[in-house]
Amino acid sequence: MERSEARREGPVLECRQLSKIYGAVRALDQVDLAVQRGRIVGLLGPNGSGKTTLIKTAAGLLTPSAGEMLVCGRQPGAATKGLVSYLPERTYLSDWMRVEDILCLFRDFYSDFDLQKAEEMLFRLDIHRMDRLRTMSKGTREKVQLILVMSRRAELYLLDEPIGGVDPAAREFILGTIIGNYSEDAAVVISTHLIRDVEQVLDDVIFLAYGHVGLSAPVEELREEKGKSIDELFREMYRC
Amino acid sequence: MTWNLAGDRPIWLQLTEQIQLRILTGEYQAGERLPSVRELAAQAAVNPNTMQKALTELERSGLLYAQRTSGRFITQDGERIREMRCRMAQGETRQFLARMEELGFSAGEILELVRRQVEAEEGKAEEDSDDGTE
């Protein structure tokens, strides 16, 4: 895919007065935000705060009710699918699939998929081409999917709860894999409520609650200004 | 050696200390090439910019030096590494003394305790071969 210079200017992800309404529920309510190139951004918020809705909209799976969402300056759709590498909260891969099937699927679907890179990472984890997803532990399955998503040379990585439900060792592997593999001028958005675990890998944080952006700032700045960890800050802001 | 990072102090500062420790203990040898920022960040599961800040700090203190095309290296100045190791040992000793004084021990008693402890450990390690500490 050609990557024109024009596309490299401006934010990778931008929301302008973005709203998503389900019946009486405002999942996103006039959200304004921008994610710049080269940044690892934490999309943090309690359950039901709109994290997944925001990510799905950026991935082109949901359409805004009002306002605008832009990925590299374009509305999410067929044109942005090749720019965005998306790790959904729940898998879309079937149990019966072998590692080999999944590798082929990614190679066929995404021209920016680096097959060799994926194979190397899987090999290091002692995962074989003929292994079936069904026979893997939950943690291993999560690792496999993350490896696939991070083996693409995308402009924007959208990772929805990549460390939910895995043990601490797997968490470290997953975070290490994200850092070791994202393209340098791409942006990474990680949604999670496990703030303590991701805090040290983030450049910026966006706090989301009830569909609103509560806070959006560089992590170092927040820590210095408030003298607290992001985890503490979050607990204070969203105390029930 | 694994990376241990606590939440209550700046991460870059902790990274600086831990890399420094690796240099002083010889895990990273004088003159050796350091892994890339990205690689180190991935190992420690920290943000690459944070790792960059830690390395810049170590460059400023002279323990690392950058070569424009081939990366970052540990200083070749063995004297400087030894000097820093001594300074670190002095700091540790000072802290130990302060704690022992808090517990109410006199200088003579502390020396005696240390001597006895060292002898006990040597007795325990008698059968082990001497692995050549300087």
Side-chain angles (χ1 to χ4, degrees), chain B residues 30-43:
Chain B
E32 190 183 306
R33 186 172 182 276
L34 206 63
S36 71
V37 175
R38 182 81 83 102
E39 211 172 305
L40 282 171
Q43 274 178 26

Side-chain angles (χ1 to χ4, degrees), chain A residues 187-207:
Chain A
V188 183
V189 175
I190 303 174
S191 97
T192 188
H193 57 272
L194 300 166
I195 299 170
R196 191 193 298 255
D197 292 309
V198 295
E199 195 171 333
Q200 65 198 41
V201 313
L202 303 177
D203 287 299
D204 306 297
V205 286
I206 298 170
F207 282 5

Side-chain angles (χ1 to χ4, degrees), chain A residues 39-40 172 175-176 179-184 200-203 220 223 229, chain B residues 3 5 7 10-12 38 41-50 53:
Chain A
R39 310 293 283 184
I40 303 179
E172 206 172 286
L175 294 175
I179 294 159
N181 292 287
Y182 74 100
S183 339
E184 221 137 281
Q200 65 198 41
V201 313
L202 303 177
D203 287 299
E220 286 280 325
R223 281 214 202 90
S229 72
Chain B
W3 301 84
L5 302 168
I11 303 286
W12 70 267
R38 182 81 83 102
Q43 274 178 26
V46 298
N47 187 282
N49 291 324
T50 315
K53 188 168 175 183

Side-chain angles (χ1 to χ4, degrees), chain A:
Chain A
M1 176 169 298
E2 51 77 53
R3 280 156 201 259
S4 66
E5 284 306 306
R7 209 189 284 155
R8 298 196 164 273
E9 282 165 26
V12 181
L13 178 68
E14 198 177 4
C15 301
R16 295 180 190 150
Q17 293 289 297
L18 177 72
S19 296
K20 180 70 185 178
I21 298 157
Y22 298 107
V25 180
R26 285 178 172 271
L28 294 174
D29 193 6
Q30 299 183 328
V31 169
D32 284 306
L33 61 87
V35 173
Q36 306 295 340
R37 284 187 188 283
R39 310 293 283 184
I40 303 179
V41 180
L43 185 60
L44 312 178
N47 293 321
S49 56
K51 302 188 296 286
T52 295
T53 303
L54 187 81
I55 284 190
K56 280 188 171 172
T57 310
L61 300 175
L62 296 173
T63 51
S65 305
E68 203 174 25
M69 164 77 90
L70 296 173
V71 173
C72 299
R74 303 165 177 208
Q75 283 182 359
T80 62
K81 286 260 158 77
L83 307 174
V84 175
S85 194
Y86 167 53
L87 179 77
E89 197 180 1
R90 289 195 192 83
T91 183
Y92 52 88
L93 299 170
S94 304
D95 251 7
W96 55 263
M97 292 179 108
R98 295 179 192 275
V99 168
E100 187 169 53
D101 301 324
I102 308 166
L103 288 171
C104 289
L105 187 77
F106 266 70
R107 192 196 54 204
D108 293 345
F109 260 89
Y110 303 110
S111 59
D112 61 354
F113 182 62
D114 187 339
L115 180 64
Q116 199 187 339
K117 192 176 185 179
E119 281 178 327
E120 275 168 18
M121 282 194 267
L122 292 167
F123 180 75
R124 256 180 273 141
L125 285 177
D126 212 20
I127 294 168
H128 303 281
R129 291 188 76 105
M130 296 314 277
D131 292 353
R132 285 184 198 276
L133 279 183
R134 188 171 42 219
T135 64
M136 295 175 190
S137 70
K138 182 171 165 52
T140 305
R141 249 177 288 169
E142 301 273 337
K143 287 182 199 169
V144 169
Q145 290 182 69
L146 184 88
I147 285 173
L148 293 165
V149 166
M150 294 313 297
S151 294
R152 289 185 51 200
R153 288 196 56 85
E155 307 272 315
L156 174 63
Y157 298 88
L158 297 170
L159 312 175
D160 199 357
E161 292 285 0
I163 56 167
V166 300
D167 63 53
R171 259 173 221 184
E172 206 172 286
F173 171 84
I174 287 174
L175 294 175
T177 304
I178 296 169
I179 294 159
N181 292 287
Y182 74 100
S183 339
E184 221 137 281
D185 52 359
V188 183
V189 175
I190 303 174
S191 97
T192 188
H193 57 272
L194 300 166
I195 299 170
R196 191 193 298 255
D197 292 309
V198 295
E199 195 171 333
Q200 65 198 41
V201 313
L202 303 177
D203 287 299
D204 306 297
V205 286
I206 298 170
F207 282 5
L208 214 55
Y210 312 111
H212 292 279
V213 174
L215 180 70
S216 170
V219 170
E220 286 280 325
E221 223 169 79
L222 279 178
R223 281 214 202 90
E224 259 167 50
E225 196 179 301
K226 316 268 184 188
K228 290 184 181 120
S229 72
I230 304 300
D231 187 53
E232 281 173 287
L233 204 60
F234 183 83
R235 280 163 205 266
E236 255 168 45
M237 274 183 78
Y238 295 114
R239 189 167 288 153
C240 299

